[in-house]
Amino acid sequence: MPDQTTDRPNTPMLDQINRPADLKSLSDTQLAQVARELRSETISAVSVTGGHLGAGLGVVELTVALHAVFDTPRDKLVWDVSHQCYPHKILTERRDRIRTLRTKDGLSGFTKRTESPYDPFGAAHSSTSISAALGFSVAHDLGGVVPEGSGDAIAVIGDGAMSAGMAFEAMNNAGHLGKRLFVILNDNEMSIAPPVGALSSYLSRLYAEEPFQELKAAAKGAVSLLPEPFREGAKRAKDMLKGMAVGGTLFESLGFSYLGPIDGHDLNQLLPVLRTVRARATGPVLIHVLTKKGKGYAPAEAARDKGHATAKFDVVTGEQKKSPSNAPSYTGVFGDELVKLAAKDDKICAVTAAMPDGTGLNLFAERYPSRCFDVGIAEQHGVTFAAALAAGGMKPFCAMYSTFLQRGYDQVVHDVAIQRLPVRFAIDRAGLVGADGATHAGSFDIGFMANLPGMVVMAAADEAELVHMVATAAAHDDGPIAFRYPRGEGEGVEIPDKPQVLEIGKGRMIQTGARVALLSFGTRLGEVRKAAEALSAKGITPTIADARFAKPLDREMILDLAANHEALITIEEGAVGGFGSHVAQLLADEGVFDAGLKYRSMVLPDIFIDQASPADMYRVAGMDAAQIEAKVLDVLGVATIGEKRA
Ligand SMILES: Cc1ncc(C[n+]2csc(CCOP(=O)(O)OP(=O)(O)O)c2C)c(N)n1
């Protein structure tokens, strides 16, 4: 197998480029050479780090063209989602660290303001770029001052991301304000899964028509907006118009000039179009660019997800280097269990927001296509849609990652909780997620779900518990219910044949000990057990309980633990304001602290934790077995050996 560290591609032209300004002196032919080398460098880098490959490969030429034509970082280039930003990072003074992508202390896999002035706006959740670019454009006009200077604003947004409400809210506002603004619609006919919905069909219709048309402009005779090579095409479009009534494109109705579609892999098209709009545009312009996700790397082009996300891989064969797994993933366990339940109950249905594979609903979609809904990147709509499915007599499971559910929060409150509708929230990727970093951490859902009246909130301690919780959610029909589970593999416990419907608000005792009670909510239970073993060796046997529910709390069990122990410690994979806060409130309300209970709550610290392995991130958070053990010793006033020596 070739040594990845020495098997670097040959990149003589790219080696001359230290910053985007260096592109300015190159000819178009040389820029094409830079693009070829940039593609090889991107493939080589991701082969060692893993990460988002397909999206970056799709925008290699676009990245070169944008940096060659515009004046970054003075001009603000905003990448939507920003999972396609690796080629951008290579061109913007970060090539020396590109093989640290997504690792501890390395480059982020997304754009990040603190990382580089070339990243004027961070992202990772989709569909924010047009709003951000519009903000930059308006700040520029109002005389806002930033160290890099302020110029044009350019948003690059994918066809998947364009399907979200926020993108349209921004276009509506941008069209109204009429400011100079560039939106590049990077249309690769892919989201993570194939894109869904009417917008996607609309875009397909646009490029099925005559290329290079700017219909409305052509109709007005405004052909001169187009660069020379395209005037001919526009003239043809104008001629075409004579024979047909054209209402203009959707984008034009929103107040944008529409240009396209153009081939996003052809610099001979990209460069003149970008140069011309830069020279002439006075208002918002949308440039519709057609690209191929995974372009130029056969294994990515051939993959089902077009290389959207990949593990480390062998460049020559494309074979991914996945570590063998010992246990099924939580996502898979959820998907399997839901399929089983749906076989017995035809009211069970499922909603995903553009993540059928990521949430395990792909299995459900195959078996029950008419009961599975991929709503596109539209969490807000997805939640309200699920609310009405419930109001209409169905049993909807709304499966979303914790981090993306944040976007649908008002809908959770207003449409689901206030109306007490039995939507079942399957909250995947709860807790710290690893390489995707702070933007993807599922840190807040315990807090923001458990503070809603009438919401039941569960966390699975292992995959068997998850099975029970899926069944419990299916059976719970008098209000909303949520269950959270982490990214990755389960604990390796046996999956129960028959799921149990859990009693709402009842926890379970794991072991009975003395002096200290460890009350776990979710998958930290494994670390709690390890800590307890280490403590036993030191003569302290803690009591361990699994809360199962953050709402409603098992008051009886918790008050009992408090009454019978000198100290009580809660632990959860979430930020302050979650399970531990609810327990503290209960104990305070019941006057338990008046009697002198030593209480500690282990939650994620009040910082955004940068990417690393989940284990490393939990160490930063102070939540691994050794740290739980230290907490127990500390609360009991038992000095650790190190401290005694000191
Ligand atoms: C709000 C939100 N929901 C879901 C995701 C997960 N996600 C990341 S990339 C992606 C697909 C984006 O598709 P598109 O914009 O077409 O870009 P492409 O990957 O095709 O280049 C999705 C669904 C996200 N980042 N943000």
Side-chain angles (χ1 to χ4, degrees):
M1 200 170 43
D3 177 354
Q4 299 289 6
T5 52
T6 53
D7 186 31
R8 299 271 173 95
N10 189 21
T11 54
M13 186 71 75
L14 185 63
D15 297 345
Q16 313 292 315
I17 309 299
N18 295 315
R19 56 191 56 78
D22 298 337
L23 296 168
K24 303 276 184 204
S25 54
L26 300 187
S27 67
D28 291 5
T29 317
Q30 287 172 316
L31 289 174
Q33 176 69 23
V34 170
R36 279 192 292 278
E37 295 178 10
L38 182 57
R39 177 164 281 114
S40 309
E41 178 70 343
T42 303
I43 295 166
S44 163
V46 184
S47 76
V48 260
T49 61
H52 291 104
L53 179 66
L57 293 182
V59 296
V60 165
E61 289 76 14
L62 185 59
T63 306
V64 171
L66 284 166
H67 281 297
V69 171
F70 286 93
D71 181 19
T72 57
R74 187 173 163 274
D75 291 338
K76 308 300 171 209
L77 177 54
V78 184
W79 296 97
D80 203 276
V81 185
S82 79
H83 61 317
Q84 74 291 62
C85 71
Y86 308 172
H88 159 82
K89 292 202 174 190
I90 293 170
L91 289 185
T92 54
E93 304 183 33
R94 284 169 279 183
R95 187 178 177 194
D96 55 338
R97 285 169 292 153
I98 201 65
R99 287 168 181 77
T100 67
L101 273 169
R102 294 161 57 86
T103 55
K104 189 171 168 54
D105 302 322
L107 290 179
S108 163
F110 300 101
T111 54
K112 198 170 177 184
R113 277 173 59 82
T114 50
E115 193 177 284
S116 165
Y118 293 96
D119 293 359
F121 208 75
H125 290 201
S126 86
S127 318
T128 59
S129 62
I130 305 178
S131 305
L134 182 60
F136 280 117
S137 169
V138 171
H140 168 79
D141 282 5
L142 292 177
V145 178
V146 287
E148 308 76 37
S150 113
D152 275 321
I154 309 113
V156 183
I157 180 165
D159 54 314
M162 187 60 113
S163 70
M166 235 192 119
F168 283 89
E169 293 168 28
M171 299 251 297
N172 185 41
N173 191 204
H176 167 69
L177 291 176
K179 304 268 180 211
R180 177 176 154 110
L181 170 76
F182 302 103
V183 175
I184 317 275
L185 171 56
N186 172 36
D187 184 358
N188 56 19
E189 291 186 88
M190 270 301 276
S191 185
I192 293 181
V196 287
L199 180 76
S200 159
S201 338
Y202 172 74
L203 293 177
S204 308
R205 278 207 304 282
L206 275 185
Y207 51 76
E209 289 165 11
E210 195 78 4
F212 313 129
Q213 52 191 302
E214 211 280 51
L215 295 178
K216 203 168 165 196
K220 285 192 215 138
V223 178
S224 57
L225 184 67
L226 294 174
E228 200 53 58
F230 305 120
R231 293 213 185 135
E232 189 46 39
K235 277 204 204 90
R236 259 190 288 129
K238 190 178 175 184
D239 293 342
M240 255 171 54
L241 283 174
K242 287 183 189 150
M244 60 198 258
V246 177
T249 67
L250 172 63
F251 305 108
E252 287 175 312
S253 1
L254 287 169
F256 278 69
S257 294
Y258 171 85
L259 266 177
I262 64 175
D263 179 347
H265 297 301
D266 184 356
L267 283 170
N268 292 324
Q269 296 187 25
L270 283 174
L271 289 166
V273 167
L274 292 178
R275 284 176 187 139
T276 305
V277 293
R278 184 169 195 235
R280 301 193 196 163
T282 51
V285 181
L286 184 131
I287 303 157
H288 186 179
V289 169
L290 302 186
T291 61
K292 231 179 173 181
K293 197 162 179 169
K295 171 78 176 178
Y297 186 56
E301 287 190 30
R304 208 166 89 89
D305 68 351
K306 306 291 174 208
H308 178 83
T310 169
K312 298 173 188 182
F313 60 90
D314 182 285
V315 175
V316 178
T317 62
E319 198 183 322
Q320 295 191 34
K321 299 166 186 169
K322 289 196 173 140
S323 41
S325 55
N326 304 315
S329 71
Y330 282 97
T331 302
V333 169
F334 161 69
D336 284 344
E337 194 52 34
L338 194 63
V339 167
K340 283 188 207 153
L341 292 172
K344 291 182 253 155
D345 186 342
D346 68 0
K347 298 295 174 285
I348 288 179
C349 55
V351 176
T352 168
M355 312 290 285
D357 293 12
T359 56
L361 285 187
N362 49 339
L363 309 168
F364 191 95
E366 272 166 33
R367 286 287 291 280
Y368 305 106
S370 64
R371 286 194 265 156
C372 191
F373 303 92
D374 180 352
V375 297
I377 309 181
E379 289 81 5
Q380 304 180 343
H381 159 67
V383 171
T384 303
F385 173 60
L389 282 169
M394 296 298 292
K395 296 181 178 171
F397 277 75
C398 183
M400 290 181 187
Y401 290 9
S402 169
T403 193
F404 300 138
L405 181 59
Q406 288 166 195
R407 185 160 289 181
Y409 187 53
D410 180 59
Q411 288 72 7
V412 175
V413 179
H414 174 267
D415 299 324
V416 177
I418 291 179
Q419 306 194 88
R420 285 194 65 90
L421 289 168
V423 174
R424 287 83 174 159
F425 291 99
I427 306 180
D428 199 330
R429 307 305 196 268
L432 301 174
V433 294
D436 279 332
T439 54
H440 278 56
S443 309
F444 309 113
D445 62 280
I446 309 173
F448 73 60
M449 295 305 266
N451 65 8
L452 297 177
M455 180 71 71
V456 174
V457 181
M458 304 182 275
D462 58 39
E463 58 272 41
E465 283 289 295
L466 177 57
V467 167
H468 299 320
M469 288 179 183
V470 180
T472 306
H476 186 75
D477 232 353
D478 29 279
I481 187 165
F483 52 101
R484 75 187 315 252
Y485 45 98
R487 170 178 179 266
E489 286 165 22
E491 300 281 312
V493 302
E494 205 173 318
I495 302 280
D497 289 340
K498 278 216 163 80
Q500 235 177 290
V501 173
L502 304 174
E503 188 182 342
I504 300 295
K506 280 282 155 219
R508 59 177 181 141
M509 294 301 295
I510 305 288
Q511 83 173 32
T512 308
R515 295 193 68 193
V516 61
L518 297 171
L519 176 57
S520 172
F521 180 63
T523 45
R524 279 295 95 185
L525 185 62
E527 294 297 298
V528 167
R529 287 182 200 264
K530 278 189 222 158
E533 269 171 40
L535 286 162
S536 293
K538 295 187 169 122
I540 299 166
T541 306
T543 293
I544 304 178
D546 172 10
R548 278 182 171 156
F549 292 82
K551 185 138 194 208
L553 287 175
D554 187 340
R555 295 169 56 93
E556 200 185 321
M557 182 178 85
I558 295 168
L559 292 174
D560 197 52
L561 292 174
N564 292 303
H565 294 83
E566 184 184 330
L568 172 62
I569 302 175
T570 62
I571 182 157
E572 70 202 278
E573 293 165 336
V576 64
F579 171 67
S581 303
H582 284 259
V583 173
Q585 185 73 36
L586 169 71
L587 298 175
D589 288 350
E590 295 295 321
V592 176
F593 295 126
D594 311 0
L597 174 74
K598 294 175 184 166
Y599 176 72
R600 301 289 185 275
S601 181
M602 297 182 78
V603 295
L604 294 176
D606 196 21
I607 51 169
F608 289 106
I609 301 176
D610 282 336
Q611 81 272 358
S613 69
D616 278 338
M617 290 174 89
Y618 277 115
R619 204 162 304 128
V620 172
M623 282 197 186
D624 68 11
Q627 291 160 318
I628 298 168
E629 181 191 344
K631 179 70 86 181
V632 169
L633 295 175
D634 177 62
V635 76
L636 294 179
V638 182
T640 59
I641 292 164
E643 279 164 5
K644 265 190 206 150
R645 282 208 192 107

